[in-house]
């Protein structure tokens, strides 16, 4: 998806700048739209890995096998206004933030628009041109954010897209993370702690987690579902580890790696522990 | 400006009040005018340990609510010069404690006193938050057992985020670890955590280790800060901790189990 964000004002520069960026976001694909059908199982899923998707922005999509989708001519689909309107508060209660819907049947889009949710075009993995501070490009590329086709038509092979990789700021913590404290490196970033993570503390990152000290609390990497995320610790002795929504508890970790320098990764939905720094 | 020291722990019954009384007395003995304030509204017992419970006319809440002047509520110690106690109320509601009220009391104390020691209630709720809010130093009282260490860890997190210094982005509250009720015999059997284990988890400088001692209980029944008990190990350990706080280098004592020789057994003095 695309966001336009103003950069920090500074005396010597204009107050803002428009940039294109591409973020990877979680899509909640609905096979049913009634909150009664969706929320209980979603809540169960989230309670298993509490920090998985915690405070995550999500996009709602009607599953393609839902009959209404792809057959809009049949008439307004049965996405009752009440369904979507009722679903939103439920999702927010689960600490999810619906920020838009993927394009779908007309009724679906109308409901979304009525609720203030933008409708996003499908399959926009590549960035669309956005107005930039360079005037010629503004003129050449146009300002249409709605239509992928129009934007694509504006592109020429000689003209590189003004895309920008998602910046992934690393969060550095140089003090012990103490019982009752929670630290979350969001925005896709990694988390580096150059001290210990104590029992009763929780550290979360959308990316990787590095602990240059003892990891005795809870560590949740790939908090938005990235199973490629890893956890590194100088002394691994955690209460809980989670990667990409899967978790394991202290008692399930091989005792041979406890207290050692360890790299934790996820392979075929199971945790792999590798000694490092031997 | 007075230096404000909070004695805190998260957990109850670890020795905060015992420490507040002895620490304040030790600072006063060094010649600095010192006030010790009980923040444990409803459960006041600092005045018992200080031996002034029969002399409490006005308390902290009377002062905050303007029912008494600070001067009227400060109880001067009968044994130690420069030492004053401000009692908590036993009967009033905790809600009478306000941040502004405490700020005003501390400001007024600062005109006359060099040190103000705040005896925190247990927990991490309102009373404890108010006791630590204005602190420049925190003496974190911890017993060598897991639950106490965990609670101290929590309170350290609170100090780093909810104190005035934290809120205003000032230099952080200076943290000191005081390990109390340390029993080397039970440490060697593994029943209790070693000093090093506690230091490693809490990762703050060690101010002192106070041994478990039956003299502590005897002194509280007498209404006397244990630090005034000449021959006790616990008193010596408190004196050393105060000296370290004041910048002296003193080696740690009472970390090892005492070998009880025959002579010692016959002439067993105060523990
Ligand atoms: N070093 C010590 N040795 C033996 N008993 C102690 C020691 N320190 C404190 N105690 C005892 O522990 C109990 C709790 O102490 P107190 O100072 O009231 O703790 P808190 O203020 O943290 O609740 C009291 O009975 C006290 O006599
Ligand atoms: Mg107490």
């Amino acid at each position: 998806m695309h966001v336009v964000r103003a950069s920090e004002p500074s005396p010597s520069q204009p107050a803002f700048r428009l940039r294109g960026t591409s973020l990877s976001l979680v899509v909640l694909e609905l096979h049913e739209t009634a909150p009664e059908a969706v929320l209980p199982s979603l809540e169960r899923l989230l309670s298993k890995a509490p920090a998985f998707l915690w405070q995550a922005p999500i996009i709602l999509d009607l599953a393609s096998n839902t009959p209404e989708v792809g057959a809009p001519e049949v008439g307004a689909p049965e996405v009752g206004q009440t369904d979507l309107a009722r679903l939103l508060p439920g999702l927010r209660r689960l600490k999810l933030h619906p920020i838009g819907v993927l394009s779908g049947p007309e009724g679906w889009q109308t409901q979304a628009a009525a609720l203030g949710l933008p409708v996003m075009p499908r399959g926009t993995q590549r960035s669309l041109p956005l107005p930039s501070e360079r005037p010629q490009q503004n003129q050449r590329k146009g300002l249409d954010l709605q239509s992928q086709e129009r934007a694509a038509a504006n592109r020429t092979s000689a003209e590189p897209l003004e895309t920008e990789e998602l910046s992934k700021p690393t969060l550095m913590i140089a003090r012990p993370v103490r019982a009752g404290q929670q630290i979350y490196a969001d925005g896709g970033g990694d988390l580096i702690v150059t001290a210990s993570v104590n029992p009763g503390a929780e550290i979360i990152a959308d990316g990787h987690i590095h602990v240059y000290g003892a990891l005795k609390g809870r560590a949740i990497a790939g908090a938005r579902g990235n199973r490629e995320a890893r956890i590194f610790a100088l002394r691994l002795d955690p209460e809980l580890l989670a990667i990409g929504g899967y978790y394991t508890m202290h008692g399930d970790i091989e005792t041979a790696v406890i207290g050692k320098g360890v790299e934790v990764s996820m392979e075929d939905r199971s945790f792999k522990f590798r000694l490092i720094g031997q | 400006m007075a230096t404000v020291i909070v004695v805190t722990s998260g957990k109850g019954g670890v020795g905060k009040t015992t420490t507040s009384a002895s620490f304040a007395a030790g600072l006063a003995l060094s010649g600095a005018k010192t006030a010790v304030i009980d923040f444990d509204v409803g459960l006041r017992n600092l005045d018992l340990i200080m031996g002034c419970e029969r002399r409490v006319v006005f308390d902290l809440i009377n002062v905050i609510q303007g029912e008494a002047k600070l001067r009227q509520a400060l109880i001067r110690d009968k044994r130690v010069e420069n030492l004053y106690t401000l009692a908590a109320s036993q009967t009033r509601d905790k809600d009478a404690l306000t941040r502004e009220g405490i700020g005003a009391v501390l400001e007024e104390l600062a005109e006359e006193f060099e040190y103000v020691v705040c005896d925190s209630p247990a927990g991490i709720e309102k009373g404890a938050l108010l006791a630590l809010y204005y602190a420049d130093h925190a003496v974190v009282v911890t017993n060598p057992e897991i639950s106490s260490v965990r609670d101290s860890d929590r309170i350290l997190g609170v100090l780093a985020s909810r104190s005035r210094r934290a809120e205003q982005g000032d230099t952080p509250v200076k943290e000191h670890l005081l390990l109390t009720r340390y029993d080397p015999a039970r440490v060697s059997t593994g029943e209790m955590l070693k000093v090093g284990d506690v230091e490693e988890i809490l990762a703050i400088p060690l101010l002192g280790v106070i041994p478990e001692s039956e003299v502590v209980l005897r002194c509280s029944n007498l209404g006397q800060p244990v630090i005034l008990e000449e021959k006790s190990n616990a008193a010596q350990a408190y004196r050393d901790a105060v000296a370290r706080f004041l910048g002296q280098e003193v080696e740690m004592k009472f970390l090892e189990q005492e070998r009880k020789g025959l002579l010692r057994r016959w002439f067993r003095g105060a523990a």
Side-chain angles (χ1 to χ4, degrees), chain B residues 50-116:
Chain B
M50 297 298 289
C52 63
E53 77 276 11
R54 298 221 176 83
R55 296 163 61 211
V56 177
V57 181
F58 297 112
D59 56 49
L60 175 62
I61 287 177
N62 293 135
V63 178
I64 286 179
Q65 303 207 322
E67 296 153 354
K69 295 232 157 45
L70 182 58
R71 201 165 23 80
Q72 297 173 293
L74 283 169
I75 305 166
R76 158 185 255 188
D77 196 86
K78 286 198 162 147
R79 296 147 299 206
V80 182
E81 224 186 315
N82 300 320
L83 181 60
Y84 293 79
T85 302
L86 185 49
S89 172
Q90 208 145 223
T91 50
R92 302 287 281 270
D93 191 37
K94 285 193 196 37
D95 293 337
L97 281 187
T98 61
R99 188 182 277 184
E100 296 71 31
I102 289 162
V105 168
L106 290 177
E107 212 163 289
E108 198 181 336
L109 283 172
E111 292 169 14
E112 257 191 82
F113 287 85
E114 237 175 285
Y115 292 104
V116 179

Side-chain angles (χ1 to χ4, degrees), chain A residues 175-181 196 198-201 214 216 235 239, chain B residues 150 152-158 160-161 175 200-204:
Chain A
R175 56 188 159 74
V177 187
R178 302 192 178 278
Q181 291 182 329
S196 288
N198 285 349
K216 296 185 172 180
R235 255 173 307 139
E239 292 168 333
Chain B
R150 174 78 66 104
S152 293
D153 198 39
R154 267 199 101 117
I155 209 78
L156 283 164
V158 170
S161 60
E175 301 149 337
E200 188 196 303
I201 295 176
L202 296 181
I204 60 171

Side-chain angles (χ1 to χ4, degrees), chain B residues 7-9 11-20 40 45 49 119-122 141 143 179-182 210-221 226 234 238:
Chain B
V7 178
T8 186
S9 70
K11 194 169 156 71
V14 294
K16 289 182 293 296
T17 300
T18 304
T19 297
S20 298
D40 208 345
N45 52 23
I49 309 280
D119 180 20
S120 173
V141 178
N143 292 166
L179 204 54
T180 62
R181 311 202 65 166
Y182 196 73
I210 313 296
E212 171 79 20
S213 157
E214 55 215 42
V215 178
V216 173
L217 188 59
R218 206 183 318 140
C219 281
S220 30
N221 288 333
V226 63
Y238 272 120

